[in-house]
Amino acid sequence: MHLRIVGENIWIESDGTEGGIALELLELEVPQEDIVLGFIRPKNRHLTDFSVA
């Protein structure tokens, strides 16, 4: 897994975990709008419930 903190957001650059680090962050009450799925192309990020950055 590769995470970066950019400003107020947590960028998930890659995730090889079984359950998904984004779900674990949500369980820790990190708001969805603070999580960016960096491994998804920018033009497709709007299709997720997470931040588009």
Side-chain angles (χ1 to χ4, degrees):
M1 120 178 75
H2 179 135
L3 303 176
R4 290 188 304 143
I5 307 241
V6 179
E8 300 278 324
N9 295 329
I10 300 171
W11 281 69
I12 302 173
E13 298 294 349
S14 66
D15 184 1
T17 63
E18 187 174 322
I21 192 66
L23 296 177
E24 291 186 36
L25 290 170
L26 292 174
E27 288 176 7
L28 293 171
E29 299 183 7
V30 175
Q32 274 184 317
E33 58 269 9
D34 292 346
I35 301 170
V36 179
L37 303 178
F39 55 87
I40 295 179
R41 292 182 179 188
K43 68 178 185 175
N44 294 332
R45 286 189 198 139
H46 71 281
L47 301 173
T48 72
D49 292 329
F50 295 94
S51 177
V52 294

